[in-house]
Amino acid sequence: MATSDIKTQALQAREAARAIAQLSTSAKDALLRAMAQALEDDAEVILAANARDIEAAAAKGVGSAMQDRLRLDGKRLGGVADALREVADLPDPVGQVTRTYDRPNGIQVERVRVPLGVIAMIYEARPNVTADAAALCIKAGNAVILRGGSEAIHSNTAIAASLKRALAAAGLPQDVVTLVEDLRRDTILELIQLNDIVDLVIPRGGEGLIRFVAEHARVPVIKHYKGVCHQYVDAPSDLGLALDLLIDGKVSRPAACNALETLLVHADVAAAFLPRAAEALRARGVELRGDDRSRALVPDMAAASDDDYAAEYLDLVLAVRVVDDLEQAIAHVQRYASDHTEVIVTSDPAHAARFVQALRSAVVMVNASSRFSDGGELGLGAEIGISTTRLHSYGPMGLEALTVERFVVRGQGQVRHPDLL
Amino acid sequence: MATSDIKTQALQAREAARAIAQLSTSAKDALLRAMAQALEDDAEVILAANARDIEAAAAKGVGSAMQDRLRLDGKRLGGVADALREVADLPDPVGQVTRTYDRPNGIQVERVRVPLGVIAMIYEARPNVTADAAALCIKAGNAVILRGGSEAIHSNTAIAASLKRALAAAGLPQDVVTLVEDLRRDTILELIQLNDIVDLVIPRGGEGLIRFVAEHARVPVIKHYKGVCHQYVDAPSDLGLALDLLIDGKVSRPAACNALETLLVHADVAAAFLPRAAEALRARGVELRGDDRSRALVPDMAAASDDDYAAEYLDLVLAVRVVDDLEQAIAHVQRYASDHTEVIVTSDPAHAARFVQALRSAVVMVNASSRFSDGGELGLGAEIGISTTRLHSYGPMGLEALTVERFVVRGQGQVRHPDLL
């Protein structure tokens, strides 16, 4: 049987993974800086390729918001290059010794971080992901297979060509970075089933894409479908602070997965908080949909259905509900949460502790905005994705999530059964 | 559509997982001790059930070694109960804060271990796995779904009944432990595809079972297919030490996955080492199969085929090869390794470092026996399995591998975009 193109590419990536895994930190950092420079040097070619993508999008009648996400210009491309330099500045997780201890028989055990191997990224739209994802995978010692969307194919191809040029100039295999140019769905399907070659697949994009990957992959998948993030305003709590967090969480970037979708308010503070919150949110263009108790406190609020509480609006809409107490808030979140991010605003540390302990979401915030649920904000330096898969990594994923700990044992001839010798 | 039995059971397990996740360490430890006591109290019933399994195995003409693996007696059951008490004595990974730091804006970030949720174990033969796996999952705050083999069904059912009795007596949901009594392959298939309910599946048993699970699962799988463990005897090295490790690695338990399968010897020490090693191994019943250079040094050695170098014999057979140098040894291991465990015997620290760095196996030993590649021996306290999946956990898996780190963030009202307020 002939080996398919995508399998051949993946096998080459696996070979290349061995080379990148053994590179020193300084060599990887120099490579990332050279890649940044290559992107800047190739600006003309990349922007021309991008113009073709924009043109095709316009011809297909793609909306202006989507066109804007796709668009590169000199400044944005400079930002992409700078992001690579920032990854170069991050600490290298590979080779980190996380623990070391001696066993009673004298063997010394080390837990050491090693790269995962070959990582496949499947994503849509923004062409900067091509460079960002490659940089993070490389810094963590991995080869990367990039499968971007058709809408950015020219931009992605041009960016990947620059990255490969930097690899070649450094004497490294170009297969450290592979861009899949065959965009058929069957090719994705084959890629995500190469479980003896590819070590991890990270899908990023719409829920449909992610479900397709999760349903069909044999390679391990780390993903999140959506972020239905809750903010619960407890009694007692600082209502001014609660309002600040609510505005930041809902308004600062409604299309982000860490934006708030549902507000829960303790009945004892609902009358004091909800009318004020509604006014502030409506002044910023937010539509509210609530239960009967909320609607009794806020004039002209639409009724929320069960679907509203399950929705990731990604828009200036907020579902609202008044709850009897902390336990009812917890029960609501347990029912509707996407395991992404939840916020409690409270002045009672015991309530905070109970909320944190009872909920299984990846990130729980006490008196802080849901919008901090982000790799950069949480100090990971950069973010390759967010996981709501409760395995390997849970929540925002940085460089460390692109490695795994193994065991290195040093002895002086210890055996398990000396009686056999 | 009617919900199938296995899905109903899994949903009940998920409910139960919430209860066990929130239990204090002392409550979990008391539960494990009560389970140990219940097993001892129910010894008569469990041993009678086990006798039925042995009888059925004998009637089916199952070999005596397999029958012995299946057999429980008072002493072995006492050992199973004691193993639960040992798990109770282990530190609780749940709630462990692995890192804590402040961000420049004053929010405090904690990484905290939480349970995975619902873990499915699919295994064969030994009925002690039923109790062991349940204990480890419970200690790490998880619910467990156990699907043992048909050959141990009566023993497993009786053991699970005792564990459930202890759960009920502690006022906990019995669904923390679920034994799947419907042994049809379709039921496994459905179980391993319940990816919104089950968080992890760990298959343990023959390669056929594990490949079936890996091929069909939508739930994340952690597994190892086999252990093709290598020992490389370098020049320079202490040949007496090399022989000790070789005998221990090959003879002390040949059916274990961490037993040695292949011996690689540097050409410079082959004449001094191989005849001596062959004599010592043959005296212990080991058959050797080698390449031409090995056969020239050891009389009557059979020729090794490519299949021999890929084989996990699980028996008193050893493949042998003379290599030119360290790099050829590394290339051999890279070609044939199962990513499980490799050993180098060397007196040169630079050679050891190169061997460790070049190989991607989960466990690399320097001057220590491959047989230490085991959760207990490496200080994990106990072992739920061994992973050669380069994700989440790599190598022997203890309690920690049954948890994941999440983020807990505490602030004083910090927002990401104060300009919006």
Side-chain angles (χ1 to χ4, degrees):
Chain A
M1 206 176 72
T3 302
S4 66
D5 288 353
I6 188 73
K7 187 169 177 184
T8 302
Q9 287 181 308
L11 285 167
Q12 287 164 344
R14 189 172 63 177
E15 272 306 300
R18 283 199 184 141
I20 195 80
Q22 296 188 35
L23 224 53
S24 69
T25 301
S26 58
K28 287 187 288 191
D29 294 348
L31 172 65
L32 292 172
R33 288 178 214 286
M35 285 177 158
Q37 189 61 50
L39 290 177
E40 289 176 343
D41 292 347
D42 297 342
E44 208 170 313
V45 177
I46 294 170
L47 296 182
N50 184 251
R52 290 176 63 194
D53 286 329
I54 299 288
E55 215 170 282
K60 276 170 66 182
V62 166
S64 61
M66 175 71 168
Q67 282 190 42
D68 185 61
R69 291 181 64 201
L70 212 51
R71 182 170 287 114
L72 289 175
D73 54 27
K75 192 174 159 221
R76 282 186 180 181
L77 190 61
V80 174
D82 284 342
L84 298 203
R85 296 184 180 105
E86 282 167 28
V87 173
D89 289 337
L90 292 175
D92 187 350
V94 176
Q96 276 181 4
V97 176
T98 57
R99 269 164 290 186
T100 175
Y101 51 90
D102 293 338
R103 296 289 300 154
N105 62 2
I107 59 172
Q108 183 210 44
V109 183
E110 264 182 19
R111 303 294 303 267
V112 187
R113 285 195 190 285
V114 290
L116 297 180
V118 177
I119 298 172
M121 290 285 307
I122 299 177
Y123 55 100
E124 291 170 333
R126 294 179 195 275
N128 63 304
V129 174
T130 303
D132 284 355
L136 290 166
C137 289
I138 287 171
K139 178 81 184 212
N142 303 284
V144 65
I145 298 177
L146 299 156
R147 198 287 191 186
S150 59
E151 67 287 350
I153 184 68
H154 297 106
S155 313
N156 291 339
T157 305
I159 290 170
S162 295
L163 303 181
K164 280 172 171 291
R165 198 162 60 76
L167 279 162
L172 289 163
Q174 298 198 31
D175 300 321
V176 166
V177 175
T178 300
L179 182 79
V180 179
E181 297 185 46
D182 171 357
L183 298 179
R184 287 173 303 173
R185 193 153 264 227
D186 278 358
T187 302
I188 294 194
L189 199 59
E190 192 180 348
L191 173 63
I192 65 180
Q193 300 194 338
L194 295 173
N195 53 311
D196 288 331
I197 308 174
V198 179
D199 294 283
L200 172 65
V201 54
I202 303 176
R204 274 171 56 177
E207 195 175 341
L209 170 73
I210 297 170
R211 290 217 177 261
F212 175 79
V213 172
E215 294 273 300
H216 295 98
R218 296 221 208 299
V219 174
V221 180
I222 293 189
K223 59 173 196 300
H224 79 278
Y225 290 125
K226 54 182 184 174
V228 181
C229 305
H230 297 79
Q231 176 169 318
Y232 166 59
V233 180
D234 189 36
S237 64
D238 176 335
L239 298 182
L241 187 158
L243 185 58
D244 288 354
L245 299 188
L246 181 61
I247 293 169
D248 190 63
K250 183 69 247 181
V251 180
S252 64
R253 200 172 145 212
C257 61
N258 59 14
L260 289 176
E261 305 295 352
T262 298
L263 169 68
L264 303 171
V265 184
H266 191 293
D268 291 355
V269 297
F273 185 67
L274 269 185
R276 185 177 159 194
E279 190 188 340
L281 289 172
R282 282 174 169 169
R284 291 167 176 83
V286 179
E287 178 198 339
L288 305 177
R289 300 180 191 165
D291 67 331
D292 289 345
R293 288 203 275 182
S294 310
R295 297 172 73 206
L297 294 167
V298 178
D300 307 319
M301 192 192 286
S305 69
D306 199 60
D307 284 352
D308 282 300
Y309 293 122
E312 183 187 34
Y313 294 118
L314 299 172
D315 204 350
L316 290 173
V317 184
L318 183 72
V320 183
R321 188 177 167 199
V322 174
V323 293
D324 293 333
D325 55 17
L326 174 63
E327 291 307 318
Q328 201 179 31
I330 288 170
H332 179 101
V333 177
Q334 282 177 335
R335 176 159 173 203
Y336 293 103
S338 57
D339 289 349
H340 194 296
T341 300
E342 324 302 342
V343 179
I344 182 171
V345 182
T346 185
S347 320
D348 186 330
H351 288 196
R354 167 73 188 145
F355 188 83
V356 168
Q357 200 217 0
L359 295 177
R360 52 174 270 165
S361 298
V363 186
V364 182
M365 304 276 182
V366 178
N367 297 329
S369 170
S370 67
R371 298 274 293 111
F372 290 122
S373 186
D374 167 278
E377 295 293 331
L378 292 180
L380 307 187
E383 182 179 291
I384 187 89
I386 290 189
S387 167
T388 58
T389 307
R390 287 169 81 81
L391 203 76
H392 185 69
S393 194
Y394 195 39
M397 296 164 68
L399 285 172
E400 213 175 270
L402 301 175
T403 65
V404 70
E405 286 179 51
R406 71 156 170 183
F407 294 85
V408 176
V409 178
R410 292 181 179 84
Q412 302 82 35
Q414 285 86 344
V415 297
R416 198 155 157 190
H417 289 282
D419 52 301
L420 287 172
L421 306 181
Chain B
M1 205 176 70
T3 302
S4 66
D5 287 353
I6 188 73
K7 187 170 179 184
T8 304
Q9 287 182 308
L11 286 167
Q12 287 164 344
R14 190 171 62 179
E15 273 305 300
R18 283 198 184 140
I20 195 81
Q22 296 188 36
L23 224 53
S24 68
T25 302
S26 57
K28 288 188 286 192
D29 294 348
L31 172 64
L32 292 172
R33 287 178 213 286
M35 285 178 157
Q37 189 61 50
L39 289 177
E40 290 176 341
D41 292 347
D42 296 343
E44 207 171 316
V45 177
I46 294 169
L47 296 183
N50 183 250
R52 289 177 64 193
D53 287 330
I54 299 288
E55 215 169 287
K60 277 170 65 182
V62 166
S64 61
M66 176 70 167
Q67 282 192 40
D68 184 60
R69 290 180 67 201
L70 212 51
R71 181 170 289 115
L72 289 175
D73 55 26
K75 194 176 157 215
R76 284 187 178 178
L77 190 61
V80 174
D82 284 342
L84 298 203
R85 295 184 181 105
E86 282 167 26
V87 173
D89 288 338
L90 293 174
D92 186 350
V94 176
Q96 278 181 3
V97 176
T98 57
R99 270 165 289 188
T100 177
Y101 51 90
D102 292 340
R103 296 289 301 154
N105 62 2
I107 59 172
Q108 183 210 44
V109 183
E110 264 182 19
R111 303 294 303 268
V112 187
R113 286 196 189 284
V114 290
L116 297 180
V118 177
I119 298 171
M121 290 284 308
I122 299 177
Y123 55 101
E124 290 170 334
R126 295 180 195 274
N128 63 303
V129 174
T130 304
D132 284 355
L136 290 166
C137 290
I138 287 170
K139 178 81 184 214
N142 302 285
V144 64
I145 299 177
L146 300 157
R147 198 287 193 185
S150 58
E151 68 287 349
I153 183 68
H154 298 107
S155 314
N156 291 339
T157 306
I159 290 170
S162 295
L163 303 180
K164 281 172 170 291
R165 198 160 62 75
L167 281 162
L172 290 162
Q174 298 197 29
D175 300 321
V176 167
V177 175
T178 300
L179 182 79
V180 179
E181 296 185 46
D182 172 356
L183 298 180
R184 287 173 303 171
R185 192 152 263 225
D186 279 0
T187 303
I188 294 193
L189 200 60
E190 192 179 350
L191 173 63
I192 65 180
Q193 300 195 337
L194 295 173
N195 53 311
D196 288 330
I197 308 174
V198 179
D199 295 283
L200 172 65
V201 55
I202 303 176
R204 274 172 55 178
E207 195 174 341
L209 170 73
I210 297 169
R211 291 220 175 258
F212 176 81
V213 172
E215 294 274 300
H216 295 98
R218 296 222 207 300
V219 173
V221 180
I222 293 190
K223 59 173 194 300
H224 78 278
Y225 290 125
K226 55 181 182 174
V228 181
C229 305
H230 297 78
Q231 176 170 317
Y232 165 58
V233 179
D234 189 36
S237 65
D238 176 335
L239 298 182
L241 188 157
L243 184 58
D244 288 354
L245 299 188
L246 180 61
I247 294 169
D248 192 61
K250 184 65 247 181
V251 180
S252 66
R253 200 172 146 212
C257 61
N258 59 14
L260 290 176
E261 306 294 354
T262 297
L263 169 68
L264 302 171
V265 184
H266 192 294
D268 291 355
V269 298
F273 186 67
L274 269 184
R276 185 175 157 194
E279 189 188 341
L281 289 171
R282 284 175 170 172
R284 289 164 178 84
V286 179
E287 180 197 336
L288 305 177
R289 299 181 192 166
D291 67 330
D292 289 345
R293 286 204 276 181
S294 309
R295 295 172 75 206
L297 293 167
V298 177
D300 307 319
M301 192 192 284
S305 68
D306 200 60
D307 284 351
D308 281 301
Y309 293 122
E312 184 188 34
Y313 293 118
L314 299 173
D315 204 349
L316 289 173
V317 184
L318 183 72
V320 182
R321 187 178 166 198
V322 174
V323 293
D324 293 334
D325 55 17
L326 174 63
E327 292 307 319
Q328 200 179 29
I330 288 169
H332 179 101
V333 177
Q334 282 177 334
R335 176 158 173 204
Y336 294 102
S338 56
D339 289 349
H340 194 295
T341 299
E342 324 302 343
V343 179
I344 181 172
V345 182
T346 186
S347 319
D348 186 329
H351 289 195
R354 168 71 188 147
F355 187 84
V356 167
Q357 200 216 1
L359 294 178
R360 52 175 270 165
S361 297
V363 184
V364 182
M365 305 277 180
V366 178
N367 297 329
S369 171
S370 67
R371 298 274 292 110
F372 290 122
S373 187
D374 166 280
E377 294 294 329
L378 292 179
L380 307 186
E383 182 180 292
I384 189 89
I386 289 189
S387 166
T388 58
T389 309
R390 287 168 81 82
L391 203 76
H392 185 68
S393 193
Y394 196 38
M397 299 165 66
L399 286 171
E400 214 175 271
L402 301 176
T403 65
V404 70
E405 285 179 51
R406 71 155 169 186
F407 294 84
V408 175
V409 179
R410 292 181 178 84
Q412 302 82 35
Q414 285 87 342
V415 298
R416 197 153 159 191
H417 288 283
D419 52 300
L420 288 171
L421 305 182

